[in-house]
């Protein structure tokens, strides 16, 4: 009976790990896609917290939307937003936001392999600030 409990716990742990890695991969994919125009809004993905980025998006008039259908993001309605008392086209907003997004997440599209300080194993991080391999974090 106890071995059955251990096998159930191992299955739950394994399934949880698979779900965690799938969520992490989806987050990375959304962040790598970067800001984009969706209808009359500009969607700025924000899967990870960055204080300076949050302050900046808030400063330009973007609204935090954690339940957005495309994933948690900052949303800017470019038709109703002015900057320096001027209005800008969606393409101008998008170009400027993409430049700033790259400043906040410079390593997003070029994530190099790293070596785990615990076990020495080489791994590709799913997050730019990840330090340990998948085996050592589970």
């Amino acid at each position: 009976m106890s071995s059955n409990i251990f096998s159930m716990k191992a299955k739950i742990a394994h399934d949880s790990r698979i779900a965690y890695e799938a969520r992490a991969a989806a987050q990375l994919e959304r962040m790598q896609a970067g800001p984009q125009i969706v209808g009359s809004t500009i969607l700025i993905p924000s899967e990870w917290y960055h204080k300076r980025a949050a302050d900046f998006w808030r400063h330009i008039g973007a609204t935090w939307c954690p339940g957005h259908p495309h994933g948690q993001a900052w949303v800017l309605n470019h038709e109703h937003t002015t900057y320096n008392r001027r209005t800008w086209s969606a393409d101008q907003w998008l170009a400027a936001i993409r430049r700033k997004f790259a400043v906040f997440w410079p390593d997003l599209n070029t994530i190099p392999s790293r070596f785990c300080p615990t076990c020495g194993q080489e791994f590709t991080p799913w997050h730019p600030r990840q330090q340990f391999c998948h085996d050592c974090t589970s």
Side-chain angles (χ1 to χ4, degrees), residues 115-134:
F115 291 94
C116 179
T118 303
C119 67
Q121 175 180 329
E122 184 177 9
F123 70 99
T124 303
W126 60 267
H127 184 282
R129 295 183 183 149
Q130 181 182 356
Q131 296 179 1
F132 300 97
C133 71
H134 304 294

Side-chain angles (χ1 to χ4, degrees), residues 10-89:
K11 181 175 179 1
I12 291 169
H14 179 267
D15 292 347
S16 297
R17 182 69 183 177
I18 297 295
Y20 170 79
E21 288 175 357
R23 279 192 311 273
Q27 287 176 343
L28 180 61
E29 186 177 324
R30 283 191 294 269
M31 290 296 284
Q32 285 177 331
Q36 51 194 288
I37 297 174
V38 177
S40 65
T41 61
I42 296 177
L43 185 72
I44 308 162
S46 185
E47 294 296 332
W48 310 311
Y49 182 73
H50 190 295
K51 181 171 177 15
R52 287 191 347 251
D55 291 343
F56 181 78
W57 305 137
R58 194 175 301 109
H59 172 73
I60 64 169
T63 304
W64 173 240
C65 188
H68 195 277
H70 294 278
Q72 60 186 16
W74 290 90
V75 178
L76 178 74
N77 187 336
H78 60 83
E79 294 176 348
H80 301 291
T81 304
T82 60
Y83 189 73
N84 289 337
R85 289 185 247 145
R86 292 180 61 194
T87 58
W88 304 92
S89 71

